[in-house]
Amino acid sequence: MSYRKIGLIGAMDEEIKRFLDHIDDVKTIEKAGIRFYEGFFYDTEVVLCKSGVGKVNAAVCSQILIDHFEINAVIFTGVAGALHPDLQIGDIVISTDCMHHDMDASPLGFSRGTIPYDKTSIFKADDDLIKAAFQASEKSFHNRTRKGRILSGDQFIADREVVQQLHKQMDGDCTEMEGAAVAQVCSMNEVPFVIIRSMSDKADGSADVNFAEFVVQASQHSYQIVEQMLKNINPHQM
């Protein structure tokens, strides 16, 4: 496994702050209102950015990383709401694949999450990156890591009934607002990706209390995982 240049994305300031503090030889470029930080993180060339919240922001950010910075892998990291009943706050989900839960053309006969007339609506993460992320997560958070499907939509889910629907109908393990957009752009460009999410809430109506309390802790968990991953992925010595 060798990745020449890796794009690191978080949606919020808290999700990229620790990375920015540890990147060497930083060069800053701004495009489409997004600030990109080029540099080296544990001898791996990276481009770090805060996409902003939501699928359009994430898609624009991902395409710029691919077109302008010519990255050849993407790691998106941050927080999410748990859908799987076994997941607790602070647990980790590593994406096996991603879908858009707010894509709903069911009146046309398509199942929820299906993008009409596209070849696929399920965007599979890279096997090597999944393995690297899972191993890194297990090292820091043993028995608190799950591989699974990440659902994305431009909605902050805070309803128990919706949580149950997304888990049962779409087999989702967690929900957030960017991952599937990143996954779709990467898939369209044949760029390997993985999404790493730390559970900041249970998407069940308690988010107003849990989110503010755990977002910093969850972001720290995500940072630890990616830090361990990139210590193990050193393309300059492979």
Side-chain angles (χ1 to χ4, degrees):
M1 179 174 56
S2 178
Y3 302 101
R4 175 184 51 80
K5 193 174 187 181
I6 297 176
L8 301 178
I9 312 175
M12 300 181 294
D13 286 326
E14 295 90 341
E15 294 170 338
I16 70 165
K17 184 180 184 303
R18 287 294 303 276
F19 292 101
L20 188 56
D21 290 342
H22 292 84
I23 292 177
D24 298 321
D25 303 325
V26 176
K27 176 182 175 185
T28 304
I29 298 173
E30 190 165 314
K31 285 190 169 293
I34 303 169
R35 191 166 293 172
F36 297 85
Y37 304 94
E38 287 187 280
F40 290 88
F41 188 76
Y42 290 101
D43 296 324
T44 298
E45 189 174 4
V46 299
V47 183
L48 172 72
C49 57
K50 181 186 78 172
S51 64
V53 174
K55 296 195 299 179
V56 173
N57 283 331
V60 170
C61 178
S62 300
Q63 194 65 56
I64 292 173
L65 281 172
I66 293 167
D67 287 344
H68 180 80
F69 295 98
E70 299 182 340
I71 53 87
N72 65 344
V74 170
I75 301 172
F76 193 109
T77 180
V79 298
L83 297 176
H84 196 288
D86 291 344
L87 285 167
Q88 303 299 320
I89 292 171
D91 288 351
I92 310 296
V93 174
I94 309 297
S95 65
T96 53
D97 57 44
C98 300
M99 293 183 70
H100 300 279
H101 70 72
D102 60 351
M103 174 60 69
D104 188 357
S106 53
L108 301 177
F110 297 94
S111 60
R112 183 174 182 176
T114 298
I115 303 172
Y117 317 117
D118 271 18
K119 291 181 180 180
T120 185
S121 303
I122 300 172
F123 306 103
K124 296 185 180 299
D126 179 73
D127 288 339
D128 287 337
L129 289 176
I130 294 171
K131 181 179 179 181
F134 186 80
Q135 289 176 343
S137 183
E138 276 291 284
K139 184 171 182 177
S140 296
F141 310 105
H142 185 57
N143 289 333
R144 300 196 67 186
T145 305
R146 182 182 188 88
K147 300 176 188 176
R149 172 168 293 169
I150 294 177
L151 302 181
S152 305
D154 286 322
Q155 303 165 2
F156 194 97
I157 304 299
D159 184 291
R160 288 179 175 86
E161 290 187 12
V162 176
V163 167
Q164 293 174 359
Q165 289 174 6
L166 293 178
H167 178 58
K168 292 178 180 179
Q169 294 178 9
M170 300 186 68
D171 198 26
D173 286 277
C174 68
T175 180
E176 34 86 303
M177 301 175 72
E178 297 86 25
V182 174
Q184 184 173 355
V185 170
C186 287
S187 296
M188 293 171 72
N189 288 274
E190 299 182 340
V191 171
F193 76 90
V194 70
I195 313 296
I196 302 168
R197 291 293 190 177
S198 182
M199 302 303 103
S200 60
D201 63 89
K202 293 178 70 70
D204 61 0
S206 61
D208 57 335
V209 176
N210 291 338
F211 189 80
E213 182 179 351
F214 287 98
V215 66
V216 175
Q217 175 190 329
S219 298
Q220 169 64 16
H221 290 179
S222 297
Y223 171 84
Q224 286 179 244
I225 295 166
V226 178
E227 178 186 43
Q228 187 61 46
M229 281 181 72
L230 296 192
K231 284 180 179 178
N232 296 335
I233 299 171
N234 190 342
H236 301 289
Q237 296 180 8
M238 297 182 70

